[in-house]
Each structure stands twice: as structure tokens, then as C-alpha cells.
Amino acid sequence: MIKNSSLKIYGMTCTLCAITIETAVNEIEGINKINVSYAAEKAKLQYDNKETTLDNIKEKIELLGFSVGEENEKNTSNGLTREEIERNKLRNLFIISAILSAPLILGMILGGTGFCHSDFNPDSANKWGTFIETLRWKAWVLHNWKLQLTLATIVQFIIGFRFYKSSFYALMSKTFTMDLLVVIGTTAAYFYSLYTSLFKTLTYTLGMVNLYFESSVTIITLVLLGRYLESIAKNRTANSMKELSKLQPKTARVLKNNIEYPVPIEKVSIGDILMVKPGEKIPVDGVVLNGYSSVDESMLTGESIPVEKKKDDFVTGASINKNGTFTFKATKIGSDTVFSNIIRLVEEAQESKAPIQKIADEVSGLFIPAVLSISVSTFLIWYFIILHHQPFIIDIAIIHAVSVLVVSCPCALGLATPAALMVGMGKGAENGILIKNGTKLEQACKIDTIVFDKTGTLTTGELDITDIILFNEKALNLNNQKDLLVLAASAEKLSEHPIGEAIYRYAKHKYGDDLKTADKFEAFPGKGITAVVDNKTLIIGTSNFLKKYSVDLLELKDTLNKFQDQSKTAILVAVNGVLAGTIALSDKIKDNSAKVISSLKKINIEVYMLTGDNKYTALSVANKVGIKNVIAEVQPENKAEEISKLKTNGHIVAMVGDGINDSPALATSDVGFAMGTGTDTAIETGDIVILKEDLTALLDAIKLSKATMRKIRQNLFWAFIYNIIAIPVAVTGHLNPVIGAAAMSFSSISVLLNSLSLKRFKF
């Protein structure tokens, strides 16, 4: 049986760690797929539990030197998550390392400026007098090799133990990581300094033993600082999802025998009756039973205008009740709620990889062996060719080789894509746009053709009255259109047909107090209804239905032809056997549909409409919104074929739909945009879900995908260019190891900060 699982992995220090885990776990029998995200610190697994178990997979990962735990796992003693504990540990190690390194760094600075003196001369001509001379003499203690050795040993092997541990496990698994470069570089500087201290005490520069303990400890200190800052920035990239999760209420008001009981949200069951008061968050999904209110659903849809809720309306968990009190029945709880599904979809998307990341992964996999080769070559060239293998200046060759090791950084390459994806997808989720995976986000930038479904996508899917025309009004004592509409709506009140419901809904909104009660109501499916309203016998329906009751329709012919040309549905009304009028209805076009179509054309995207409706209705809607390419009268099972034809012609095709019948087309398209107001099937099939009803969110989604990909390209450019420039500078001996370590840390942090700038993206 195939199972999916997500693991939180602790201890990864660079993108090569993620590659190491993927390579090792893929060797286990039964693993179908694994994706490890260094930025999210998670592993997404698909495996056959008949061939392996989750415990076996965890054990394999732990043998590599990493630890596996549950996400947001709390420590019982202090209530902190494992991420917070690790971040605090990095901070503390950095502080201790900085304190121990400070004397060595200060000694290096003072020695380089000629401030230190090994002899005290109170008669010095220095204008600052005896005090400064004494200070210069006392500062000499900073160059005592025993003091430097003691401090450096603590930093190198106690504080820096994590680097040795990580490198050991990496080598055991026959892989290389960034920590290996740090270990080789700092260990070389440390042991060369130790050798010089013990056996070459006569080697002097400016009167001091030429040691490099400060280089090794400073590199470790700066790397720890970089890791600490990186962990803060990585935490911020995932912060939008954590903040979104906090919107979920913790308790609910459950009604039992009209008594209110506050209970934890985990205790709510399907079918429970719950009450929500003004200002409270709705705990779970459900259907309103009693009451009326307006609900702020902006955290789900990004739409700031509250939505009115009344009896039989659906309410969503985590949205905010604004001003009324109502009761509702719970229909979805726990992980089945809309809110929980949104969080799940975004988290899965953030753990996915975009195709562009493969480039960075491939480069990173070859990076460490290449850097090691360059470093060894640097040492050999400097020592044997440039320095003519003179032993007393071998330290110059060593330091240049160390500089190559510490300045090289694959971490920025590994973070370039996932960091931008996490921020971009989080930004989308905050604004009602759910991007399900990185692959589709990358493809969204390349779309050149968008195909729209009609009903529920370009239109509201609800019929709206457009025309009311009266006939024989004087004979029937009808004063105006209102009288006809009130009679028809009063009769249709009991109808279950969508057209009847649309007439009743429209009249109730405009003339609710004038509606009357119908008697002797009878429905004839597919034809019409008859009823008695205010002592008047009404016949409402199609022309054939009215002809059956011998109603004269001669004067209607031109009107019906006009409505047909306009793709409107005409319903005829007869009162006491005489034609009283006709009511025309049409599917209402969504606000901004025409504006969105126009905007898409401006950015050179070709637009199609694909619908099962007849061509007259389709062309009418297409003309109103500005679409020239119309494919009408297409059966649901054939919609996917039409998408395939467009793809065959070389187009990158996006499909926008909302119904079950759109699901095959959504799945076939390069990028499927599902309207969040549509069916669950369409939402599950779509690659990008638009939770707003407003189609402008489609434009926002495309703009966001382009902005995110722009950030990824910027990140990759700076990561590549950094190494392309820094390594040759180090090879030629123009880069101090300490400056290299600082630059290495800054490269990763700069990539993260650039990704975080997406949070300021304006739709």
C-alpha cells in the first residue's frame, strides 16, 4: 500500500545535506519518491509500507547524523519548539565563540598596526606618554601562543564540534557538505599554527610569532553567526503559514438542549449545533440554521468586504462573525475544513521543487569536490611554483588554500529557489491565491493561452432578470412591470426550478413586502407551473406550455426572436387565460470579466472560451467580455481534447474552470486555475486555486508567479556570480580567510533577504 508522509528534519546545515538525505533514502527498497527541502527543513515521502516502514526511513536519516521529529514539537520543560531550541543554541554558541575569539582578533588588529611592543620603554617619545607605552607593552600578552592555543582549542573542538560531527557523517555516507569545507579550512589553519608555536618559535614577523589561530576561530564564529541569522530568516519565510494557522479558534460554543457549552475545537463533532456571537471566529465549517449576520472571510479569500449569511448559507471555519448572532450545524471538522485544506495545500506547495531548482541542485552536488580540487591546486601552485617550495613561508600557501575553502558557498544556491517559493506562496495564500506546487508556479510565467469556462467562471452561474415586457395590461388591470413580476414571483415561490427560483429571488429583493401567497400550485417539470394568486389564475412557462391552455401568442413572435438572438431565456406569463407578458433572464456576467480579458490581451495572452452551451449563448457572452475565440457545444468529456489540441500547436495553455465537468480540462492543461467558489473536484484538480469570486485574482496570480520567478532568478544570479568572483579572488591570494568567511555567510543571508522582499509585493 502506497503511503505519503512528511517528516521534520533537524541538523541540516546546507542544501547538500538535503541532497545527501535524498540520495541515501532513495536507496531503501519501497521508496517511490522523496523530496527534501533545506529551506523548509522537511522531507516529503511516498513509500510502499509493504516493503519498508516509516521507522526504517527515520533510522536511515538518523544514521546520517540528522534527527527526525514532529513539526512544532514542544519541549515539555520549556515549551519551545525544536527549531527555537536549535536557534537559541546557535545564538549562545556564537556569543561564547565571539567572546573567546575577541582577544585573538584584537591581537591580530593591534599587531597588524604595529601597536604591540614586547619591550617596555618608559622614555618613549610617543606623545601620549607613559600610559600608551604601558598599554602597548601589556597588549603583547595577546600574542602569547599559549593563550592563543588555549582559546583556539576551545573554539575549534568544543564549540566547533558540530562541524566535525556533520562532516564525519557526511563522509560515512560518501558525500560532501559545506561543513567539510569549514572543517578542512579551520583545521589546517589551527594545526599549522600549533606546529609553528611548538617548533618554529624563531619565525617572526614584526617581532611576533606568525600564527593563524585567529583565522580558524574567526571563521567558526562567523559561520555560526551566519547560521544563526540564516535560521531567523528561514523562520520568517515560513512565518506566513504559522500566522495563518493561528487564525484557527481554540474553542467553540456547542448548544445542547438550548444550553451553551464552551468546548475545545477538537471536541466538536459533525452534526453539532454551534452558536457564534458578534466578533467571534467561526470554529468549523457548517450551514446556518437560524439568525443573520455578515462574515469577514478575508483571511480565506483576500476579499475585504464582509459576506452576508442567512439560513441555509455555508459558513467557513476561522472566518470572523461581524455583527449578528446565529446558530449553525457543523458539516466539516478538523482536517476536512476549508481552512485546514488551505494550510495543507500551501504547506505541500512550499515543500515542492520548481524545475529551475534542479539546476542549483546539480551544481551543488558537484560543488564541494570542485572546491576541494581548486583548494589543493591553489596550495600546490603557490607553494611549489610561486613560492619555490620555501618551507619558512609555507603559511602563505596554506592561508590562500584555506581562503578558497571558506569563501565557497553552495548554501546560497540551495536557498535561492525554495526561499522565494515559500515567501511567494505564503503571500498568495494571504490574498486568496493557493499555488499548489513550484512546477506550476514556474509554468504560470510562460502561459500564452488561457481558456475560460463560461458558467461560474466568466458568469456568476445565477440567472438574472434582464427584461419584463407587458401585453394586454389594460385588459388585465396591470399598472406596470411590478404588478406582473409580483404575480409571477408569488406563484414561483413554491417552484424548485432554477428559473422559478431566480424570478422569486429577484422579486423578493425588490418587492418583498408585496408578495402574496399562491393557491392551487402545480408544477409540470420542463414545461411550467400553474397557480392561483390573488384570485387570478396564472399559467407560467414555455410557449408550448401556454399553447396547451389555448393562450394566444401571436404578438410575441418578434419579441421571442429578439431574446433568442441575445441568448436570453424567455418565460411567458398568462393571467386568466390571456397573455400578460414575458420575463427574460440571462446568466449574469461577473464584474471585471471584460476588464480581466482586456488586461490578458495587453500582456499578449490569447484568450478562448470553452463551453457546453449553444453557440448563440456562448457568442453573446463572448462578445460582452471581449473574447473572439469561442469553442461551444462541447461535451464535458471532450473539453480535455480541446485543451490537448491547443497544446499540440505549441501553446502553453492554462484552463480556468469551476465545475466537475471542467476537471479533465484542468488536469490536461499546463496550468489549471480552479475557482474556489466551484466544486471540490475542480479545486482538487486545479494547480492554482482562486478563492475570490473576482477574476482579477487570476491576473494577481500570474503577476505573483512572475514576481516569484524573478526573485528566484535574482537569487540564482547572485549565488552564481558570488562564487564565480570570490573563488578566483581567493585563489590569487587577494582574500583573507576571515573576510571570506564573512562573505560566505552574507551570501546566504542576502538570498534570504531578497526572497523576503516578496512580502512587500503589491497586487
Coordinates of all heavy atoms in Angstrom, one line a residue, residues 53 143 189 203 344 391 517 596 666 680 739:
T53 N 9.1 0.6 6.2 CA 8.3 1.3 7.2 C 8.9 2.7 7.5 O 10.0 3.0 7.2 CB 8.2 0.6 8.6 OG1 9.6 0.6 9.1 CG2 7.8 -0.8 8.4
H143 N 49.5 38.1 22.2 CA 50.3 37.3 21.2 C 51.0 36.1 21.9 O 51.8 35.4 21.2 CB 51.3 38.2 20.5 CG 50.6 39.2 19.6 ND1 50.2 38.9 18.3 CD2 50.3 40.5 19.8 CE1 49.6 40.0 17.8 NE2 49.7 40.9 18.7
A189 N 44.4 25.7 9.4 CA 44.9 26.9 10.0 C 45.3 26.6 11.4 O 46.4 27.1 11.9 CB 43.9 28.0 9.9
T203 N 60.4 31.9 14.0 CA 59.8 32.6 12.8 C 59.1 33.8 13.3 O 58.0 33.7 14.0 CB 58.9 31.6 12.1 OG1 59.6 30.5 11.7 CG2 58.3 32.3 10.8
R344 N -2.9 22.9 4.3 CA -2.3 21.7 3.8 C -1.8 21.9 2.4 O -0.6 21.6 2.1 CB -3.3 20.5 3.8 CG -2.8 19.3 3.2 CD -3.8 18.2 3.2 NE -5.0 18.5 2.5 CZ -5.2 18.5 1.2 NH1 -4.2 18.0 0.4 NH2 -6.3 18.8 0.6
P391 N 60.1 26.4 2.8 CA 59.3 26.0 4.0 C 59.0 27.1 4.9 O 57.9 27.1 5.5 CB 60.3 25.0 4.7 CG 61.2 24.5 3.6 CD 61.4 25.7 2.7
T517 N -49.5 35.0 -1.3 CA -49.4 33.5 -1.1 C -50.2 32.9 -2.3 O -51.3 33.3 -2.6 CB -50.1 33.1 0.2 OG1 -49.4 33.7 1.3 CG2 -50.0 31.6 0.4
V596 N -10.6 42.0 -17.1 CA -9.6 40.9 -17.0 C -9.2 40.4 -18.4 O -8.0 40.3 -18.7 CB -10.0 39.8 -16.1 CG1 -9.1 38.6 -16.2 CG2 -10.2 40.2 -14.7
L666 N -8.9 20.9 -16.7 CA -8.0 21.4 -15.7 C -6.7 20.6 -15.6 O -5.6 21.1 -15.5 CB -8.6 21.6 -14.3 CG -9.7 22.7 -14.2 CD1 -10.4 22.6 -12.9 CD2 -9.0 24.1 -14.3
D680 N -15.6 20.8 -5.1 CA -14.4 20.3 -4.5 C -13.5 19.6 -5.5 O -12.3 19.6 -5.4 CB -14.7 19.3 -3.4 CG -15.3 20.1 -2.2 OD1 -15.2 21.3 -2.1 OD2 -16.0 19.4 -1.4
I739 N 37.7 37.5 6.0 CA 36.8 38.2 5.1 C 36.0 37.2 4.3 O 34.8 37.4 4.0 CB 37.6 39.1 4.2 CG1 38.5 40.1 5.0 CG2 36.7 39.9 3.3 CD1 37.6 41.0 6.0

